[in-house]
Amino acid sequence: MLTQLRHIVESMTAAASLEQALQALVHLTRNVMQVDCCSVYVAEPERRCYRLAATDGLAESAVGKAFLPFEEGIVGLVGQREELINLADASAHPAFKLLPDVAEEAFRSFLGTPIMHQRQVVGILVVQQKESRLFDEGEESFLVTLAAQLAARIAHAQARSQLTRTDWGKPLRGVAGSPGVAIARAWVWRPRKELAAIVPRKADDPDAQLGRFDQAVEAVRHELEALALRFRESSSQDSVAIFDIYLHLLADPSYIKPIRLRIEQEEWTAISAVKLVSETLIGRFGSMQDPYLRERATDIKDIALRLISRLVQDEPEHLAISERVVLVAEEVTATILAEVPRDCLAGVVSIKGSSNSHTAILARAMGVPAIMGVEFPLAEIHRLMLVVDGYSGDLFVEPKEPILAEYRQLLHEEQALDQLVHSTDGQPSETLDGVKVSLLLNAGLSADTEIAINELADGVGLYRTEIPFMLHDSFPSEWEQTARYRGILETYRNRPVCMRTLDVGGDKQLPYFPIVEENPFLGWRGIRLTLDHPELFLVQLKAMLRASEGLDNLAVMLPMISSVGEIRAARRLLDQAWSEVSQEVATRGGTLHYPPLGVMIEVPSALYILPEMAPLIDFWSVGSNDLTQYLLAVDRNNARVASIYDSFHPAVIRALQLLVDSARRYGKPVSVCGELAGDPIGVLVLLAMGYRRFSMNTRNIPRIKYVLRNASLDELVPLLAEGLRSDSPHALRGLFSRYLEERGMGGFLRAGHKVTA
Ligand code: PEP
Ligand code: MG
């Protein structure tokens, strides 16, 4: 069954249009299931009806012309109930409705399943038989599996068909990733996937290439095992065999060994070596007489493409862009972003990812509007004119003049707002009723965000150290790290700089230190990794300490702390590093201050051990991005669950309240360095709770300062109390947005803005 399923799905993918794809689907499904009829109905929400989009068995002449209202017929019932309906005699069912011109009279039995995409019924898949019989469980599960596989393809195809229309009335909807508006042509970045299109290249880092290759093999093995597991339940011998062959191939020395040799001895890049060896084998198997062996050529190609697609994720092409563009890709990564010259980057659109992916955080730090998690066919968008609405997540393709005009106006207002917020540059950071706050900078994501703002920031609240590690080919040496850290400590001379120790793992991978895990966000990440590698941790701590000589403005912060044991272990290593470096400094006649040590609150367990933690640390800082992710068990990178990732969820708000109250009780400074602190509503809620130290990206500092200078704590405290009486995050957000609007600061909130043209 699996082979047939795959065949159907592949035939659909290969089809040039939605109509052809659905035609292939009904035809193949009818044959495979040996039924008398297969049809697909596609939902048309504006007309509130299903349209017969393809059939093999009903009257061909009705395709595209027969419509069934959502509320009518058994097809309508499948949609309403959002579940499968299996009937031996459909005509006897009270909901049965005979459509004129469809020629359905001959069929008695009916099996229909909804095609669901993102909680919406996008269509109904139906098979029918002349004889009266109930379909068996195997048939039911085949149809349900097929419908699940089709859902994204139909949604995708609908987006594609929208794209071929000349009327661009409707925008494509994504997740707002970074605020702002961009109007520019699309520049599509695509990984090199076709074997033939890869030009073999030599590398000068065979060890790193070998590491990347091994990592890709592991990753593909995991992918295949996960797929195998998914199909085990419904599997025939076929599926087991496919996965066996694939997994076997991945472990087969006659395939893997020559690739490794080409990397090690001939110094090809990992991608080139996979291409060269695979092509030779594909050629050899492809010309064999035996059809079984000939088929193996397809398997090798499949595996090779999986390996290559893994490898290219880490190795973007060199981008030759010389005009302002909207960068568009299946998955925009921090490294692809880094490749585009900043002057040319008007906006970002990523099919994968969500508002808290590091790419979105980076885009926000760079002040580049971004939309994440939006679906459309990549190939067709290249060079088309786009409007990126980074407030609402709406993407307009080839917009008409009224829309362009409205967005040009918005851009204009944006610039005016920028000027307005800078009018408070020389004034203190305090509220209307005189409450003083510290506005700190989140630095480290990209080099150019650090320098420009130093006059406005009261210091650095979070220096993410992992990015320089990610852009290297190997662990940066102690001296390289010292020079980099010294740069930032000197830039912020006389102001505190809080450096976070290495937080790799999760979605931040080092190309030369592969970590392959089923569940990376729950795995070897942050402090867990550095404590297991004291040799790396000590180098980083010593580099930070040495960089602070004579400046005395360093604080050290530990990411992903979940137990006091981790703090004690880190403290021991900091002591050791300090005693070594301070001796060295003393021999030069200098002095070295022991830095304050703080921890990030981002793992829920940390909230319940605050009393035990307090005596061991000097300050706390909330990583609201991860705290939200872990409290709500919602992957911060996953667009599918983006709507339930919400830092205003009552659980997150209570956790934040608990922390600020404890900080007061134990007399420890506390700050917020997640994205919530740079959000105009978030910062007001945090202020009302009792927070006074906020760390955010460069662009947000003047904006947040303006918001705070025009707000009164006196008014915010009762607002928070009122918001907390409701169990809905929307109520709290609504109250605070109204507050901003009433004080003329609605311009900071464009999230709800929708262009009407
Ligand atoms: C956070 O989790 O809120 C945080 C500031 O750290 P990062 O986004 O780097 O994980
Ligand atoms: Mg974090």
Side-chain angles (χ1 to χ4, degrees):
M1 273 302 201
L2 183 73
T3 322
Q4 289 148 337
L5 202 82
R6 206 170 67 168
H7 179 49
I8 296 176
V9 172
E10 277 171 6
S11 308
M12 279 195 73
T13 312
S17 66
L18 177 60
E19 285 69 28
Q20 285 176 16
L22 295 180
Q23 203 46 54
L25 158 80
V26 291
H27 179 65
L28 292 169
T29 307
R30 181 181 169 179
N31 283 347
V32 168
M33 292 185 74
Q34 297 183 349
V35 288
D36 299 324
C37 174
C38 175
S39 316
V40 59
Y41 296 82
V42 170
E44 298 207 344
E46 294 93 17
R47 299 169 78 165
R48 294 202 48 75
C49 66
Y50 296 106
R51 177 174 50 86
L52 179 64
T55 185
D56 187 348
L58 300 179
E60 293 279 336
S61 55
V63 170
K65 295 188 195 119
F67 291 93
L68 195 66
F70 279 170
E71 298 77 21
E72 289 185 17
I74 302 172
V75 166
L77 200 61
V78 174
Q80 279 171 42
R81 290 203 196 152
E82 299 183 353
E83 66 176 2
L84 177 121
I85 292 184
N86 183 354
L87 299 171
D89 186 357
S91 61
H93 193 281
F96 181 73
K97 180 168 192 276
L98 201 62
L99 277 180
D101 309 326
V102 164
E104 210 174 355
E105 299 83 343
F107 305 112
R108 306 278 307 273
S109 46
F110 172 103
L111 181 66
T113 185
I115 306 170
M116 308 285 303
H117 183 68
Q118 293 177 344
R119 296 193 191 180
Q120 303 291 327
V121 180
V122 292
I124 312 283
L125 180 59
V126 177
V127 289
Q128 290 170 283
Q129 195 102 35
K130 286 183 182 152
E131 65 174 302
S132 172
R133 67 166 181 105
L134 274 180
F135 290 88
D136 66 28
E137 271 183 26
E139 290 168 314
E140 284 187 353
S141 72
F142 184 82
L143 205 68
V144 168
T145 314
L146 189 56
Q149 298 250 0
L150 291 182
R153 281 177 176 79
I154 289 193
H156 196 262
Q158 279 176 332
R160 178 197 298 250
S161 70
Q162 266 184 20
L163 281 177
T164 54
R165 291 196 322 222
T166 44
D167 170 19
W168 288 105
K170 279 206 206 130
L172 302 169
R173 287 272 145 81
V175 176
S178 170
V181 168
I183 305 175
R185 293 202 176 272
W187 205 99
V188 174
W189 180 87
R190 283 165 158 283
R192 290 157 291 169
K193 266 195 183 160
E194 284 305 317
L195 283 183
I198 296 168
V199 182
R201 279 194 305 118
K202 296 267 179 164
D204 53 10
D205 55 349
D207 285 347
Q209 294 291 331
L210 216 49
R212 295 182 55 221
F213 172 66
D214 290 342
Q215 185 191 9
V217 170
E218 266 311 293
V220 172
R221 192 198 319 283
H222 275 287
E223 248 173 44
L224 293 172
E225 280 167 357
L227 275 175
L229 210 64
R230 194 152 25 105
F231 284 103
R232 188 167 293 160
E233 304 274 285
S234 63
S235 74
S236 58
Q237 282 313 303
D238 264 358
S239 64
V240 176
I242 289 172
F243 290 112
D244 271 352
I245 289 167
Y246 277 28
L247 287 165
H248 181 74
L249 198 58
L250 271 184
D252 186 350
S254 61
Y255 179 53
I256 297 295
K257 211 167 151 200
I259 299 180
R260 292 183 61 99
L261 283 179
R262 291 229 167 186
I263 299 173
E264 264 173 325
Q265 293 175 1
E266 298 174 22
E267 300 192 343
W268 293 105
T269 62
I271 292 175
S272 311
V274 172
K275 170 202 162 81
L276 293 170
V277 171
S278 306
E279 277 182 345
T280 312
L281 285 175
I282 291 167
R284 200 177 299 154
F285 278 106
S287 59
M288 287 184 176
Q289 292 294 320
D290 180 340
Y292 174 82
L293 289 176
R294 233 184 6 248
E295 246 320 278
R296 300 289 66 76
T298 320
D299 297 337
I300 295 167
K301 189 166 174 207
D302 202 329
I303 286 290
L305 288 179
R306 278 175 190 273
L307 285 170
I308 283 168
S309 111
R310 274 279 155 185
L311 286 164
V312 286
Q313 276 174 17
D314 308 332
E315 191 183 292
E317 279 172 88
H318 222 77
L319 307 180
I321 303 176
S322 54
E323 63 188 291
R324 276 178 77 71
V325 293
V326 174
L327 178 69
V328 183
E330 176 77 22
E331 186 162 23
V332 177
T333 61
T335 33
I336 301 172
L337 262 189
E339 290 261 339
V340 184
R342 177 64 191 86
D343 306 348
C344 297
L345 192 61
V348 169
V349 174
S350 181
I351 293 183
K352 287 192 184 150
S354 191
S355 65
N356 283 288
S357 306
H358 280 97
T359 307
I361 295 179
L362 180 54
R364 289 198 285 272
M366 296 164 85
V368 176
I371 298 177
M372 316 289 290
V374 58
E375 245 173 64
F376 57 86
L378 261 185
E380 291 172 29
I381 217 165
H382 190 55
R383 306 302 299 149
L384 295 189
M385 191 53 141
L386 301 183
V387 167
V388 174
D389 184 336
Y391 295 106
S392 63
D394 284 349
L395 175 67
F396 293 82
V397 186
E398 292 286 74
K400 285 192 166 168
E401 190 46 40
I403 292 181
L404 276 173
E406 199 165 335
Y407 274 102
R408 278 196 208 105
Q409 172 64 24
L410 253 174
L411 262 179
H412 192 68
E413 287 171 21
E414 279 266 292
Q415 282 152 6
L417 200 65
D418 272 344
Q419 278 181 359
L420 178 73
V421 297
H422 281 291
S423 64
T424 63
D425 278 4
Q427 292 160 19
S429 304
E430 59 182 29
T431 60
L432 275 180
D433 48 355
V435 179
K436 301 231 174 311
V437 295
S438 292
L439 297 184
L440 304 155
L441 178 68
N442 283 354
L445 275 180
S446 81
D448 58 344
T449 59
E450 277 131 41
I451 316 300
I453 197 72
N454 62 6
E455 287 318 313
L456 291 184
D458 297 312
V460 175
L462 166 66
Y463 179 71
R464 288 178 166 101
T465 56
E466 46 278 357
I467 301 298
F469 280 76
M470 287 164 80
L471 298 177
H472 255 250
D473 292 338
S474 56
F475 285 107
S477 72
E478 193 170 326
W479 300 108
E480 279 170 286
Q481 290 187 52
T482 307
R484 188 174 269 272
Y485 303 153
R486 181 83 189 172
I488 183 120
L489 289 167
E490 271 179 347
T491 306
Y492 290 89
R493 193 181 272 275
N494 302 323
R495 295 179 227 189
V497 174
C498 179
M499 291 199 177
R500 180 172 76 182
T501 61
L502 194 60
D503 182 24
V504 289
D507 62 346
K508 288 178 282 192
Q509 291 279 342
L510 301 179
Y512 47 88
F513 190 71
I515 304 169
V516 181
E517 292 173 316
E518 285 283 324
N519 240 329
F521 274 108
L522 301 183
W524 207 36
R525 190 188 158 185
I527 194 72
R528 301 170 182 180
L529 185 149
T530 44
L531 285 180
D532 285 351
H533 278 281
E535 77 289 10
L536 301 176
F537 197 33
L538 279 167
V539 163
Q540 185 174 42
L541 292 172
K542 284 196 281 180
M544 287 178 179
L545 290 168
R546 192 172 292 111
S548 75
E549 183 184 342
L551 292 171
D552 189 23
N553 58 346
L554 168 71
V556 176
M557 182 155 77
L558 308 171
M560 288 291 292
I561 290 290
S562 60
S563 72
V564 287
E566 289 164 340
I567 304 175
R568 289 203 183 93
R571 170 75 77 185
R572 271 196 298 277
L573 291 168
L574 181 60
D575 287 347
Q576 183 180 330
W578 187 79
S579 96
E580 278 180 41
V581 180
S582 61
Q583 275 174 29
E584 176 194 310
V585 170
T587 58
R588 291 198 284 270
T591 51
L592 189 72
H593 290 268
Y594 191 102
L597 179 67
V599 303
M600 289 197 69
I601 301 296
E602 43 190 357
V603 179
S605 63
L607 290 165
Y608 300 98
I609 50 172
L610 296 173
E612 290 79 12
M613 243 191 226
L616 306 176
I617 54 110
D618 301 301
F619 63 92
W620 282 305
S621 187
V622 185
S624 56
N625 311 336
D626 276 316
L627 187 63
T628 304
Q629 153 165 276
Y630 292 124
L631 267 175
L632 304 184
V634 178
D635 181 347
R636 61 195 263 187
N637 285 319
N638 186 342
R640 220 177 265 172
V641 287
S643 61
I644 47 174
Y645 178 102
D646 192 345
S647 298
F648 294 93
H649 188 292
V652 181
I653 298 294
R654 279 181 209 159
L656 291 165
Q657 188 69 65
L658 175 83
L659 178 64
V660 74
D661 293 344
S662 304
R664 200 173 295 132
R665 185 168 326 126
Y666 298 108
K668 298 286 172 189
V670 63
S671 62
V672 180
C673 65
E675 294 297 294
L676 194 61
D679 176 275
I681 298 180
V683 78
L684 294 185
V685 172
L686 291 166
L687 184 81
M689 282 181 195
Y691 286 91
R692 299 292 178 264
R693 293 170 67 76
F694 309 104
S695 195
M696 63 205 70
N697 68 43
T698 300
R699 201 175 133 78
N700 281 336
I701 288 186
R703 292 177 170 235
I704 294 299
K705 182 168 166 184
Y706 184 89
V707 167
L708 289 170
R709 282 188 58 81
N710 286 283
S712 285
L713 181 63
D714 272 358
E715 294 167 342
L716 295 173
V717 171
L719 218 53
L720 175 64
E722 188 185 338
L724 290 180
R725 280 198 284 277
S726 162
D727 57 5
S728 153
H730 307 303
L732 186 64
R733 210 186 275 110
L735 283 169
F736 279 76
S737 3
R738 214 164 311 131
Y739 181 85
L740 283 169
E741 266 158 22
E742 281 164 10
R743 277 149 194 80
M745 294 186 281
F748 291 100
L749 294 171
R750 294 254 165 70
H753 173 89
K754 291 273 177 291
V755 166
T756 46

